[in-house]
Amino acid sequence: MKRPAAAAACPAAAAACPAAAAASAAAPSAVAVVLALAGIAAGCGTSLPARGGREGRDAPAAQPSGDPRVESLLARMTLEEKLGQLTQLEGAWDAPGGPKIDDRYRAMIAEGQVGSFLSVFGADFTRELQTIAVEKSRLGIPLLFAFDVIHGFRTTFPVPLAEASSWDPAAVEKAARVAAVEATAAGIHWTFAPMVDVARDARWGRIVEGSGEDPYLGMVMAAARVRGFQGEDLAAPDTLLACAKHFAAYGAAESGRDYNSVDVSERTLREVYLPPFRAAVDAGVVTLMSGFNDIGGMPASAHRGLLDGVLRREWGFSGFVVSDWESVGELIDHGLAADRAEAGRLALTAGVDMEMVSKTYIRELVAEVRAGRVPMAVVDRSVRRVLAAKQRLGLFDDPYRYSDPAREKGRILTPEHRTAARAMARESIVLLGNQAGILPLAAADLRTVAVIGPLADSRQAPLGPWSVPGRAADVVSVLEGIRAALPRARILHEPGVAIVGGAGDGVVPRDAASRTGSDRSGEDARGIARAVRAARRADAVILVVGESDTMSGEAKSRADLRLPGRQLDLARAVIAANRRTAVVLMNGRPLAIPELAAQAPALLETWFLGVETGNAVADVLFGAASPSGKLPVTFPTTTGQEPLYYNHKSTGRPGDDKVVWSSKYIDAPLQPLFPFGHGLSYTRFEYSDLSIGPQAPTARDTLVVDFALRNAGGRAGVEVAQLYIRDPAASATRPVLELKGFARVELQPGQTRRVRIEVPVAMLAFHGADMRRAVEPGEVQVMVGASSADLRLRGVVRIGGARMLVDDRSVFSRASIR
Ligand code: BGC
């Protein structure tokens, strides 16, 4: 793309920036925010607005909620009661006999000192606590019960990263809907999901909770999940408040270490990390969670530039923000606040409406408000937002509507929910390799099958992280699924080895010694010989290896992405013993497994698929379904390549393994093991006949990309066709590829269909040299293919007209299939 004729010079003076000028006219208190944004935008060295007025005196004026019920309550509330509404306390979800709360919290409810609980559920228990709030507290304001309903409730669905592998937003929306139906039946009003953090580093354990590395796929999935949880009508008793988390850029933790600091440019923040949040906001998400992390010197839970500037002023968000667990109290550990009073003051005035767990608001802010250090208007503003959410859920009309034991009995783990979980699980499986063409296995030929590996008969691991109400007893293990699919075959089972690290089935816990390499537990290889004997006797082998469910998720960063323990030795031996071995991976992040990928006759990525794991894996292994998943994350060849992602910049010396002075490694290949978007099928797809129009669109037009897709193989299948663009010359450097659309296309053998993907040109906007988001005129390359590294069709358009500023409201492409 050509440089814009009128690229703005460094707007050292605020007046040079029209956005700043406009904002300052509209809202004087936002001037600091906008000017600082404009400053960094222009590369002038100013940082993203940090804290604004440290004492909160220049906080924006409170907006009346407009709701007479909320206003009348607010008028009657004492300061303590107001701060109570902004306080969320924790329950013990894992207490024997079901969730419990600290007894002292009951008195706090009666005194109006709590607005919400997290990790409390169950129709009877939530009813009991709600009764205290409604009948014993002075104003009878109902409590809001929150919980991490991340991938299903009792019917555990695939982990979010797996669901994203389906590239099927309709199915993902349905999964969230099922979760909402079950969770609300257990008294829950609010889920801390979706997690929409883009993650480019597989060492980060929480990569499992999101939709992977791509901002556009992340936007699509964020919006789908918000729609699924919140449904059409929040007042319906089976809809949940959703919560987009962790605002913002938590996934960019340095070196992939959880909770670590983040230092990203404002361009990367706005183009990579913020878009899924914006999509959640545009889909109507009612709450956001502020992150644990520091971003360039300002912790996210005190980041006024983000919480007030970007979220409220730029995006018009009108819901409320909750902190992460103790992230307000942790402002002291960050080195931002000197004491708890300052921590609470900084968070609330920055825009964190509700505080999770650390209790600085309820304990410290009465004095701060009385001393004039926190304006009452700031407190009122947050209280209005929280009460408005309670009102939208219908809790003022019927505080017990979610706590219904009959509904709880009838609507949890129903056969329909299990069917939906099985369909979602099947779609989430990615066929990484099928070199020997051994899949699908013909069930009729199999008299003896060996099912090997430490995860083969695990009912715990398939639940994955964040599956608290999920029960291992509900899970169909891979072994059980295979037994059910092959009722006449003889099934041999050998775990082979244990997994080192984490906890759970087949796992040897790591102790402190093992981190220094001196612990040899879990390295017991005697089981390998037994596994080899079983493999030799079998017509085919299913080898299930990977990570335990406790090796990914929060605080589960890994510095080594290889298969843990002796699993590779097991795989080598088993594959050597029987070439008809299908390797089934179960894990929560991309793994560095080049040798396994080269040797495995077939390799399936199944992530953690939830309660229907075994059935879904059997559906794919034996050909009842052809795999259709595509990777939402890049797999590295070696851990040292991380962070690794397809939409990187070109550099001035684009990497080439054969060119010495290029951007590469001397001791590792440049290429990933499996690229973003990769995923095979049991059939073959041919792409042809690309047309793109109009050839010279303006920024207001929509590109229509049309092509033919043929199933050239002998089985029915689904292809996820992907559309990427590249802008080869722009006023700021652009990624080598950017996903802008995709289509899931079902094709019978021999069938050809035409696929049309409509891409509004506004989707090609980016933050140019002046950091203003615009569509720039000039050439854009358009590519269509089966993955980011398997591009089959290429075309070019030339965007005409003048450079056009475009705001960052979410815009999506649309696929249609004929
Ligand atoms: C996590 C959040 C979660 C919260 C409540 C925190 O430790 O970072 O994602 O929602 O706990 O369980």
Side-chain angles (χ1 to χ4, degrees):
M1 202 178 262
K2 291 217 181 65
R3 270 159 196 76
C10 177
C17 173
S24 72
S29 54
V31 170
V33 168
V34 179
L35 295 192
L37 285 169
I40 193 172
C44 299
T46 357
S47 62
L48 195 71
R51 59 177 90 184
R54 206 170 144 97
E55 307 305 339
R57 285 200 193 91
D58 56 343
Q63 296 295 313
S65 79
D67 186 304
R69 219 151 166 181
V70 168
E71 292 307 314
S72 126
L73 266 178
L74 192 66
R76 285 178 287 144
M77 289 167 88
T78 62
L79 176 56
E80 287 80 351
E81 285 165 340
K82 288 177 182 176
L83 294 167
Q85 284 305 305
L86 307 184
T87 297
Q88 182 179 64
L89 301 180
E90 75 292 356
W93 48 264
D94 52 352
K100 300 265 179 312
I101 60 165
D102 186 317
D103 277 342
R104 283 166 302 184
Y105 290 171
R106 286 172 201 269
M108 286 179 75
I109 304 174
E111 282 156 29
Q113 293 182 354
V114 195
S116 172
F117 275 94
L118 81 150
S119 303
V120 156
F121 58 91
D124 290 327
F125 189 47
T126 52
R127 181 172 279 265
E128 180 194 331
L129 299 183
Q130 195 70 298
T131 307
I132 308 178
V134 172
E135 292 180 11
K136 303 258 171 66
S137 75
R138 194 177 73 87
L139 294 171
I141 301 175
L143 293 164
L144 204 52
F145 296 112
F147 195 54
D148 290 277
V149 182
I150 306 295
H151 52 113
F153 187 66
R154 175 80 181 269
T155 307
T156 306
F157 275 70
V159 289
L161 190 63
E163 289 189 353
S165 307
S166 72
W167 297 52
D168 186 349
V172 171
E173 179 175 338
K174 185 164 172 195
R177 188 87 288 282
V178 168
V181 166
E182 293 197 357
T184 52
I188 296 165
H189 305 131
W190 178 19
T191 176
F192 295 135
M195 191 200 89
V196 303
D197 293 311
V198 168
R200 296 172 144 192
D201 192 328
R203 292 172 295 179
W204 191 51
R206 301 196 80 170
I207 196 169
V208 67
E209 293 176 53
S211 297
E213 73 192 36
D214 184 68
Y216 182 66
L217 188 60
M219 287 171 67
V220 171
M221 293 300 166
R225 291 196 169 106
V226 170
R227 287 193 302 267
F229 288 130
Q230 296 194 167
E232 308 255 293
D233 174 13
L234 270 176
D238 63 357
T239 50
L240 281 174
L241 300 180
C243 180
K245 69 186 188 185
H246 308 80
F247 193 65
Y250 177 43
E254 208 169 88
S255 60
R257 184 156 53 80
D258 206 4
Y259 315 125
N260 204 4
S261 302
V262 168
D263 210 339
V264 290
S265 69
E266 188 185 353
R267 180 173 280 110
T268 302
L269 184 66
R270 288 187 177 274
E271 294 188 352
V272 176
Y273 294 100
L274 293 186
F277 286 99
R278 177 79 212 238
V281 168
D282 289 345
V285 75
V286 177
T287 74
L288 261 81
M289 185 184 292
S290 62
F292 286 124
N293 54 294
D294 174 315
I295 312 175
M298 182 51 53
S301 292
H303 206 305
R304 194 142 164 207
L306 281 172
L307 293 167
D308 191 50
V310 172
L311 182 60
R312 303 250 174 219
R313 291 173 185 280
E314 292 185 28
W315 299 353
F317 175 68
S318 61
F320 75 89
V321 174
V322 64
S323 76
D324 203 342
W325 181 289
E326 291 188 331
S327 68
V328 175
E330 288 170 13
L331 295 176
I332 300 171
D333 305 270
H334 276 288
L336 187 77
D339 54 29
R340 288 172 53 80
E342 190 180 21
R345 195 165 75 221
L346 288 173
L348 183 69
T349 55
V352 176
D353 301 298
M354 183 182 278
E355 178 185 20
M356 189 192 292
V357 178
S358 43
K359 304 190 196 80
T360 68
Y361 289 10
I362 191 70
R363 299 217 170 125
E364 313 291 340
L365 294 192
V366 171
E368 294 299 299
V369 173
R370 299 227 160 103
R373 286 188 289 269
V374 174
M376 185 67 96
V378 169
V379 177
D380 286 351
R381 174 186 71 177
S382 292
V383 175
R384 278 194 178 92
R385 292 171 182 158
V386 171
L387 294 181
K390 293 185 176 183
Q391 162 86 329
R392 287 182 73 184
L393 284 172
L395 293 180
F396 291 126
D397 295 319
D398 177 4
Y400 305 106
R401 63 210 315 250
Y402 285 60
S403 306
D404 174 351
R407 197 152 71 91
E408 186 174 35
K409 273 207 196 73
R411 298 200 72 179
I412 286 183
L413 203 70
T414 62
E416 303 97 270
H417 292 180
R418 288 201 78 122
T419 304
R422 182 168 178 168
M424 185 77 254
R426 251 192 323 249
E427 282 194 13
S428 304
I429 295 173
V430 185
L431 180 62
L432 295 174
N434 195 10
Q435 287 151 301
I438 62 161
L439 290 181
L441 294 165
D445 300 350
L446 302 173
R447 274 176 306 169
T448 305
V449 173
V451 184
I452 295 174
L455 297 165
D457 195 27
S458 175
R459 290 169 140 202
Q460 178 62 41
L463 290 171
W466 292 110
S467 58
V468 171
R471 297 188 191 167
D474 301 334
V475 172
V476 180
S477 72
V478 173
L479 178 65
E480 290 167 320
I482 290 171
R483 281 206 172 112
L486 303 176
R488 282 187 291 279
R490 181 158 174 240
I491 309 290
L492 312 172
H493 167 56
E494 287 294 340
V497 296
I499 294 177
V500 186
D505 304 354
V507 170
V508 174
R510 249 184 200 287
D511 63 15
S514 72
R515 278 190 214 110
T516 62
S518 58
D519 176 24
R520 305 252 74 88
S521 64
E523 300 208 349
D524 181 348
R526 283 170 296 181
I528 295 181
R530 285 193 295 274
V532 165
R533 280 198 293 279
R536 287 209 183 103
R537 282 160 56 203
D539 301 316
V541 179
I542 314 300
L543 175 64
V544 191
V545 290
E547 298 179 315
S548 74
D549 54 311
T550 54
M551 295 181 81
S552 55
E554 186 175 348
K556 303 296 186 301
S557 296
R558 291 183 65 201
D560 181 347
L561 297 175
R562 290 176 298 178
L563 273 183
R566 299 287 298 268
Q567 294 183 94
L568 184 58
D569 293 338
L570 172 69
R572 281 189 192 118
V574 167
I575 293 167
N578 190 331
R579 292 291 305 161
R580 209 168 169 206
T581 294
V583 178
V584 172
L585 289 170
M586 205 183 272
N587 46 285
R589 55 157 62 77
L591 296 174
I593 44 168
E595 184 183 336
L596 184 64
Q599 290 193 9
L603 188 60
L604 277 180
E605 177 55 81
T606 71
W607 312 109
F608 298 117
L609 293 176
V611 286
E612 286 291 324
T613 291
N615 290 331
V617 169
D619 288 343
V620 167
L621 285 173
F622 306 116
S626 178
S628 60
K630 300 272 189 176
L631 292 178
V633 277
T634 303
F635 272 52
T637 304
T638 176
T639 309
Q641 293 175 320
E642 295 289 342
L644 186 66
Y645 46 95
Y646 84 97
N647 47 354
H648 57 83
K649 298 292 182 68
S650 163
T651 80
R653 296 185 172 192
D656 181 336
D657 284 324
K658 291 183 285 300
V659 177
V660 174
W661 308 107
S662 80
S663 177
K664 60 166 184 29
Y665 298 102
I666 55 166
D667 57 354
L670 183 63
Q671 296 309 321
L673 183 60
F674 297 113
F676 174 82
H678 171 74
L680 305 174
S681 161
Y682 292 157
T683 187
R684 276 184 306 113
F685 299 102
E686 286 174 3
Y687 290 70
S688 63
D689 199 17
L690 175 71
S691 79
I692 308 176
Q695 270 306 299
T698 70
R700 289 196 175 76
D701 290 330
T702 291
L703 285 181
V704 179
V705 179
D706 201 285
F707 55 95
L709 190 63
R710 185 170 109 85
N711 180 347
R715 289 176 164 269
V718 173
E719 170 72 328
V720 178
Q722 300 156 41
L723 186 155
Y724 296 89
I725 62 125
R726 179 171 188 181
D727 186 334
S731 74
T733 59
R734 305 303 306 151
V736 293
L737 281 180
E738 293 177 76
L739 181 75
K740 293 293 175 191
F742 56 89
R744 275 181 63 84
V745 189
E746 204 176 326
L747 289 164
Q748 296 307 312
Q751 190 185 9
T752 301
R753 298 176 83 176
R754 289 209 70 88
V755 181
R756 167 176 294 195
I757 304 181
E758 292 171 51
V759 183
V761 176
M763 284 182 71
L764 310 188
F766 56 89
H767 294 81
D770 59 359
M771 268 305 288
R772 294 166 70 194
R773 195 164 184 274
V775 174
E776 295 186 358
E779 178 186 318
V780 172
Q781 299 161 358
V782 177
M783 290 146 276
V784 173
S787 86
S788 62
D790 184 6
L791 301 167
R792 312 274 184 91
L793 304 171
R794 289 168 194 271
V796 169
V797 291
R798 293 197 71 79
I799 296 174
R803 178 172 189 252
M804 192 176 95
L805 295 184
V806 177
D807 71 17
D808 59 358
R809 217 159 313 174
S810 313
V811 189
F812 298 91
S813 53
R814 254 197 23 203
S816 52
I817 297 141
R818 302 175 324 273

